């Protein structure tokens, strides 16, 4: 079972499309959190995430990390994707994200596009296999990267050279569109002012290791 997992401060309008010749574009998941709940999502520790109207990205609510950790920790939340296979056609992920702290080696974020395990195993010393996009999953250069995740360890597929701290900061939301073709060609696009109306390609690479 594949899962989508944010490990980030605020996310809105998570949409996953899959397209295949013969049956057109299919929306696998779409959640804008405007129903003010996170039903169907599973936290690694209950009470750390919620649909929040505080510092929302747009609309009335965003998915937000709502817990103020008193010490260093990793909080994750995941959503099961029962019908996703990367071999079915071009797959596209779209979401907006905002992180309220400057990135560092200890203050980082990632959104797993897919994983074979749930939120409890989706971190650098966990056991998950899949793909993630984020900042400083490993390392400290603050660049947005697409990672292949194998046994929890991250391997760079695309380094966008897009420095989150200098390009974005702590108060701006960014629109992401990540796609993968059936032949394993990944593309990362970013809209620096949020939304998806000004997406710019930040890198393309091929990786086919994980498909289900």
């Amino acid at each position: 079972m594949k899962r989508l997992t944010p490990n980030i401060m605020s996310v809105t309008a998570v949409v996953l499309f899959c397209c295949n010749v013969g049956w057109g574009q299919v929306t696998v998941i779409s959640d804008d959190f405007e129903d003010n709940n996170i039903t169907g999502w599973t936290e690694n520790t209950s009470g750390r995430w919620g649909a929040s109207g505080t510092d929302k990205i747009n609309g009335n609510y965003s998915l937000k990390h709502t817990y103020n950790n008193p010490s260093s920790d990793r909080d994750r939340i995941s959503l099961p994707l029962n019908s996703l296979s990367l071999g079915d056609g071009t797959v596209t992920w779209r979401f907006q994200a905002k992180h309220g702290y400057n990135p560092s080696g200890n203050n980082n974020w990632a959104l797993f596009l897919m994983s074979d395990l749930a939120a409890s195993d989706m971190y650098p010393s966990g056991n998950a296999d899949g793909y993630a996009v984020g900042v400083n999953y490993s390392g400290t250069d603050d660049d947005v990267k697409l990672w292949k995740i194998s046994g929890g360890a991250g391997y760079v597929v695309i380094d966008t050279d897009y420095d989150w701290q200098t390009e974005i900061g702590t108060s701006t939301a960014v629109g992401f569109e990540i796609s993968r073709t059936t032949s394993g060609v990944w593309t990362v696009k970013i809209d620096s002012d949020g939304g998806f109306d000004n997406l710019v390609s930040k890198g393309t690479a091929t990786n086919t290791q994980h498909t289900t």
Side-chain angles (χ1 to χ4, degrees):
M1 180 183 293
K2 290 161 287 296
R3 294 167 173 86
L4 177 81
T5 295
N7 180 11
I8 196 170
M9 291 304 295
S10 298
V11 177
T12 188
V14 175
V15 182
L16 171 57
F17 301 109
C18 185
C19 183
N20 195 6
V21 175
W23 45 270
Q25 179 172 285
V26 173
T27 302
V28 179
I29 63 165
S30 178
D31 196 341
D32 60 9
F33 309 103
E34 289 299 302
D35 55 5
N36 191 22
N37 68 64
I38 54 172
T39 300
W41 294 78
T42 301
E43 301 175 77
N44 70 302
T45 303
S46 180
R48 303 294 177 92
W49 296 82
S52 174
T54 303
D55 293 329
K56 58 190 180 295
I57 293 177
N58 57 26
N60 294 312
Y61 300 98
S62 298
L63 175 66
K64 185 177 181 181
H65 182 244
T66 57
Y67 181 74
N68 186 15
N69 294 70
S71 58
S72 179
D73 203 355
R74 296 186 179 97
D75 293 328
R76 286 95 63 199
I77 186 170
S78 63
L79 180 71
L81 302 175
N82 297 315
S83 58
L84 177 64
S85 173
L86 298 187
D88 287 341
T90 297
V91 179
T92 302
W93 295 259
R94 273 189 170 189
F95 58 92
Q96 296 186 84
K98 181 169 67 174
H99 193 262
Y101 298 91
N102 285 323
S104 67
N106 293 320
N107 190 14
N108 44 54
W109 63 265
L111 190 143
F112 275 68
L113 306 174
M114 59 175 285
S115 170
D116 63 335
L117 299 175
S120 58
D121 277 294
M122 299 168 80
Y123 62 100
S125 55
N127 297 302
D129 292 339
Y131 293 94
V133 63
V135 175
N136 295 347
Y137 185 87
S138 176
T140 58
D141 63 11
D142 301 343
D143 283 357
V144 174
K145 296 176 184 176
L146 174 69
W147 306 83
K148 177 192 73 177
I149 310 298
S150 295
Y155 303 88
V156 177
V157 177
I158 296 174
D159 184 344
T160 67
D161 290 323
Y162 188 82
D163 188 300
W164 188 268
Q165 181 166 332
T166 59
E167 298 284 350
I168 298 301
T170 60
S171 60
T172 303
V174 174
F176 284 87
E177 181 180 283
I178 297 106
S179 61
R180 182 201 185 273
T181 69
T182 52
S183 58
V185 178
W186 292 84
T187 301
V188 175
K189 295 181 180 179
I190 294 176
D191 187 330
S192 297
D193 58 5
F196 310 104
D197 59 345
N198 191 30
L199 289 162
V200 176
S201 178
K202 296 295 183 178
T204 299
T206 300
N207 188 277
T208 58
Q209 182 165 350
H210 304 308
T211 59
T212 58

